[in-house]
Amino acid sequence: PVANATITPSPLSHQVHAGDPVTLHCSVQVGSAPVTFTWLHNGQEVAQGAILDLGDVDVGLLGSYQCEATNQLGQDRQHMFWALSPDLALEVTPQGHGDTVTAGVYGSLLFLVLLVAVILAWHQWH
């Protein structure tokens, strides 16, 4: 029987930026060959195989991913074993959001420095 199905994301983070390439790998700790892997996204089957290549992700790919591993005892379809991985919640951050916040902070600091410089110059002139 198969047991302990797990998902390993590449890169090793549940939160990625839009446009980043993401690949999910499914493996089992216990299980005799052949093992079949089925991928679920928000409970719906989306692919087969041990590797799910999401490519350059966008916000439409966020959600819950699971891998289902199955094998059978010989040719007897009555003895099918399966293991479902824990949920992997993928969070996709829109590209450039962090850059926008950084630019806003630096812009505000620059404004304050210029304001202080103008006040000091005006004060010295008078």
Side-chain angles (χ1 to χ4, degrees):
V2 293
N4 300 334
T6 57
I7 298 174
T8 306
S10 176
L12 292 174
S13 173
H14 300 294
Q15 186 174 25
V16 295
H17 291 94
D20 289 350
V22 174
T23 304
L24 303 179
H25 302 265
C26 186
S27 60
V28 291
Q29 215 170 33
V30 176
S32 56
V35 176
T36 303
F37 298 97
T38 303
W39 289 96
L40 306 172
H41 177 229
N42 296 329
Q44 301 295 314
E45 184 176 328
V46 293
Q48 296 280 326
I51 298 173
L52 179 61
D53 186 6
L54 298 175
D56 297 338
V57 297
D58 62 23
V59 292
L61 294 176
L62 62 83
S64 172
Y65 287 85
Q66 283 185 295
C67 172
E68 180 182 75
T70 59
N71 70 356
Q72 61 189 36
L73 184 61
Q75 297 302 313
D76 185 1
R77 297 215 179 257
Q78 298 298 318
H79 293 94
M80 183 75 73
F81 302 98
W82 65 277
L84 191 61
S85 72
D87 282 346
L88 173 78
L90 186 65
E91 298 177 24
V92 180
T93 304
Q95 186 69 5
H97 178 70
D99 297 339
T100 302
V101 171
T102 303
V105 169
Y106 284 126
S108 297
L109 287 174
L110 179 60
F111 174 76
L112 288 174
V113 168
L114 289 174
L115 181 63
V116 168
V118 168
I119 291 171
L120 289 175
W122 182 82
H123 184 65
Q124 264 188 323
W125 185 64
H126 284 85

